[in-house]
Amino acid sequence: MIPKNHPRYESLILREKIKKAHKEGYLAESGMIAHGRGEAFDYLLGEKTIETAYKSIEVGVACLLLAKKSVISVNGNNTALAIENIIELANITNSKIEINLFYRTAKRVSIIKDLFKKYGYYNILGTDDEKLKYINSIDSPRATASEKGIYSADVVLVSLEDGDRTEILTKSGKKVIAIDLNPLSRTAQTADITIVDNIVRAIPLMIDLAKKYKLKSDDCLKNLVNDFSNEDNLKSSLKSIEIKE
Amino acid sequence: MIPKNHPRYESLILREKIKKAHKEGYLAESGMIAHGRGEAFDYLLGEKTIETAYKSIEVGVACLLLAKKSVISVNGNNTALAIENIIELANITNSKIEINLFYRTAKRVSIIKDLFKKYGYYNILGTDDEKLKYINSIDSPRATASEKGIYSADVVLVSLEDGDRTEILTKSGKKVIAIDLNPLSRTAQTADITIVDNIVRAIPLMIDLAKKYKLKSDDCLKNLVNDFSNEDNLKSSLKSIEIKE
């Protein structure tokens, strides 16, 4: 048990969730190492949502609400940390949810599917290996997607995603929103809208904003998206990573 | 298999070693997450030995050579990454090696002991739980040490070490040399000599230097130690963590 007054309580709780997910068999060893990288970057961000992330969260939400077909991509890490929030965001933005694992095994897919069921979400996509298609006919496990989901989506929200996969998604013409704590990662650098934040803070903010922005006109949302420069936003995000003596 | 021309080949090889150590049962889940944090900090350092680390490596080596009784503390992470180098450094500097695990289990201790045997090192300390003593009578698993080793040592080299433990060691009056990629960690901040570097680079440099410095007079080595300010060195190290756009 981690005492509630521990100065790093929040961070340690997330670490416990990641370890539990590994023990339950749906998070790969590499997922744990990736979590550690995230911890370090979050630490350098001050473990708070930075100003530039609020901006890209706003644009990301607008983009999800404007989408003809949006899909939220899930893996072991984001399932472990934010399953309930992911389901809520999907429901509010009318997005589908699809499983995409870097180290895909039938067992991991099945455990994640069951976890989503446990939380009341029954229609998760990407579970049937035989029905997966290759985006742009790229013959790579990084290019697989379910026909009803990411394969035919116009907007995809990824978080803690592999750089190869993000690149394949953006090159295929889809609008990619990425949540990633490392502003220098290939995912952060290649996505259309990069949210440099911890998913446990970013997704609840997206949910709140989606509730409000649902009432806005499409034109208003389009303006938000058109006025946004991910390059500029990322450059400003980099400045928020500071070494505090 | 990771292709040798992969831009992140070295880093990926280390990651594989950490995953292997976990599969072999001697590295805890938390050790994998800790490795991820290290990866992030190493990335920000440019994955090279920084100037201030060369300085603290020099002073650390002098300190080991001057010690009446020096001990190198090992855990799952440094065993996985640098077992051969640790043995070589111990031999050259006439240091003992002692197992100290944050998540100590008899199984992990036994696997690490056997690994050191496999590499020709038979006298590893800290293996017998019943013979461990509490430093400064502090009744905590972080304060345990073997009587013939760390308990009675004047100089201890730790790497990838827990902050609580480092603090206990320094407060007990021992001189602590720490290798840690995060210059802001409690271990880095409380050690007497902090080497902000990856152990896979730092320890080989220490070995080379120890071979040369063995020929120097004690007075010369003492001057190196006395002229060193860890506080100043750490401050300069912090400046080496930079965000490269």
Side-chain angles (χ1 to χ4, degrees):
Chain A
M1 278 293 289
I2 300 155
K4 280 216 168 183
N5 60 355
H6 192 292
R8 303 197 51 69
Y9 179 77
E10 294 293 340
S11 177
L12 294 177
I13 287 292
L14 300 185
R15 202 182 289 172
E16 288 309 311
K17 286 183 181 175
I18 289 292
K19 283 156 70 175
K20 187 165 171 266
H22 176 66
K23 285 199 177 106
E24 288 177 2
Y26 68 92
L27 190 134
E29 276 84 13
S30 295
M32 272 188 287
I33 298 175
H35 182 76
R37 286 196 297 279
E39 275 187 0
F41 282 105
D42 204 11
Y43 184 80
L44 294 170
L45 287 176
E47 289 170 339
K48 61 179 197 306
T49 301
I50 57 177
E51 220 178 290
T52 49
Y54 280 106
K55 183 65 205 168
S56 49
I57 281 171
E58 185 185 37
V59 178
V61 166
C63 193
L64 282 173
L65 293 172
L66 286 168
K68 288 198 186 74
K69 182 171 178 181
S70 55
V71 180
I72 301 175
S73 182
V74 295
N75 59 26
N77 287 67
N78 50 32
T79 298
L81 298 176
I83 186 167
E84 288 175 278
N85 287 325
I86 288 168
I87 294 170
E88 194 176 350
L89 183 63
N91 288 337
I92 287 168
T93 59
N94 201 23
S95 303
K96 294 172 188 286
I97 300 176
E98 176 166 337
I99 299 174
N100 266 290
L101 307 181
F102 191 85
Y103 292 99
R104 188 180 177 98
T105 66
K107 187 186 158 204
R108 286 196 186 115
V109 169
S110 154
I111 297 174
I112 293 174
K113 182 183 170 184
D114 288 346
L115 268 173
F116 272 87
K117 268 189 195 157
K118 197 179 137 191
Y119 283 93
Y121 191 89
Y122 293 90
N123 302 317
I124 202 158
L125 298 168
T127 56
D128 189 347
D129 283 46
E130 287 177 19
K131 284 192 185 154
L132 295 179
K133 297 192 75 169
Y134 290 104
I135 295 166
N136 282 5
S137 309
I138 299 166
D139 185 14
S140 155
R142 311 280 160 258
T144 56
S146 110
E147 186 161 11
K148 288 182 183 170
I150 289 175
Y151 188 81
S152 54
D154 57 340
V155 174
V156 183
L157 170 64
V158 298
S159 51
L160 320 171
E161 184 60 272
D162 165 64
D164 279 344
R165 182 160 177 90
T166 305
E167 226 170 347
I168 290 167
L169 291 173
T170 50
K171 279 189 179 160
S172 74
K174 300 177 198 304
K175 202 110 176 166
V176 177
I177 308 160
I179 309 176
D180 196 318
L181 277 160
N182 176 3
L184 296 157
S185 76
R186 209 141 46 91
T187 288
Q189 295 285 330
T190 52
D192 296 288
I193 299 161
T194 304
I195 299 165
V196 179
D197 200 9
N198 192 321
I199 54 164
V200 304
R201 294 189 301 267
I203 302 182
L205 289 168
M206 292 176 86
I207 292 167
D208 285 349
L209 218 55
K211 286 177 188 164
K212 287 182 206 154
Y213 280 25
K214 275 191 117 164
L215 311 169
K216 286 190 190 271
S217 69
D218 274 11
D219 280 351
C220 174
L221 297 175
K222 274 178 197 162
N223 282 341
L224 280 172
V225 177
N226 292 337
D227 289 350
F228 178 74
S229 160
N230 201 45
E231 202 185 329
D232 291 349
N233 190 267
L234 261 177
K235 273 188 189 160
S236 306
S237 299
L238 283 171
K239 288 182 191 134
S240 296
I241 293 196
E242 33 174 11
I243 307 302
K244 289 148 214 88
E245 284 186 44
Chain B
M1 279 296 288
I2 301 153
K4 281 217 168 184
N5 61 354
H6 192 291
R8 303 198 49 69
Y9 178 78
E10 294 293 340
S11 178
L12 294 177
I13 287 291
L14 299 185
R15 199 182 290 172
E16 288 308 310
K17 286 184 180 174
I18 289 292
K19 284 156 70 176
K20 187 164 170 265
H22 175 66
K23 286 201 176 107
E24 287 176 4
Y26 69 92
L27 190 134
E29 276 84 11
S30 295
M32 271 188 288
I33 297 176
H35 182 76
R37 286 196 296 280
E39 275 188 359
F41 281 105
D42 204 11
Y43 184 78
L44 293 171
L45 287 176
E47 289 169 338
K48 63 180 194 306
T49 302
I50 58 177
E51 219 177 290
T52 50
Y54 279 107
K55 183 65 205 166
S56 49
I57 282 171
E58 184 184 38
V59 178
V61 166
C63 195
L64 282 173
L65 293 172
L66 287 168
K68 287 197 188 73
K69 183 171 175 180
S70 55
V71 180
I72 301 175
S73 182
V74 295
N75 58 27
N77 287 68
N78 51 31
T79 298
L81 297 176
I83 185 166
E84 288 174 277
N85 288 326
I86 288 167
I87 294 170
E88 193 175 352
L89 182 64
N91 289 337
I92 286 167
T93 60
N94 201 22
S95 304
K96 294 172 188 288
I97 300 175
E98 176 167 338
I99 299 176
N100 267 289
L101 307 181
F102 191 87
Y103 293 98
R104 187 181 177 96
T105 66
K107 188 187 158 202
R108 285 195 186 116
V109 169
S110 153
I111 297 174
I112 292 174
K113 183 183 168 182
D114 289 345
L115 268 173
F116 273 86
K117 269 190 197 159
K118 196 179 137 190
Y119 283 93
Y121 191 87
Y122 292 90
N123 302 316
I124 201 157
L125 297 167
T127 56
D128 189 345
D129 283 46
E130 288 176 19
K131 286 194 186 153
L132 295 180
K133 297 193 77 170
Y134 289 105
I135 296 167
N136 282 5
S137 307
I138 300 167
D139 185 15
S140 154
R142 310 281 158 259
T144 56
S146 110
E147 188 163 9
K148 288 184 184 170
I150 290 176
Y151 188 80
S152 54
D154 57 339
V155 174
V156 183
L157 170 65
V158 299
S159 52
L160 320 171
E161 183 59 271
D162 165 61
D164 279 344
R165 182 160 178 90
T166 305
E167 226 169 348
I168 290 167
L169 291 173
T170 50
K171 279 187 181 162
S172 75
K174 299 176 196 308
K175 201 110 179 168
V176 177
I177 308 159
I179 309 176
D180 196 317
L181 278 160
N182 176 4
L184 296 156
S185 76
R186 211 142 44 90
T187 287
Q189 295 285 330
T190 54
D192 296 289
I193 299 160
T194 305
I195 299 163
V196 179
D197 200 8
N198 193 322
I199 54 164
V200 305
R201 294 190 300 268
I203 302 183
L205 289 169
M206 292 176 86
I207 293 168
D208 285 348
L209 217 54
K211 286 177 188 165
K212 287 181 206 156
Y213 281 24
K214 275 191 117 166
L215 310 170
K216 286 189 189 271
S217 70
D218 275 12
D219 280 350
C220 174
L221 298 175
K222 275 178 196 163
N223 283 341
L224 280 172
V225 176
N226 293 336
D227 290 348
F228 178 73
S229 160
N230 201 46
E231 202 184 328
D232 291 349
N233 190 267
L234 262 178
K235 274 187 189 159
S236 306
S237 298
L238 283 171
K239 289 182 189 134
S240 296
I241 293 198
E242 35 173 7
I243 305 301
K244 291 149 214 84
E245 285 186 43

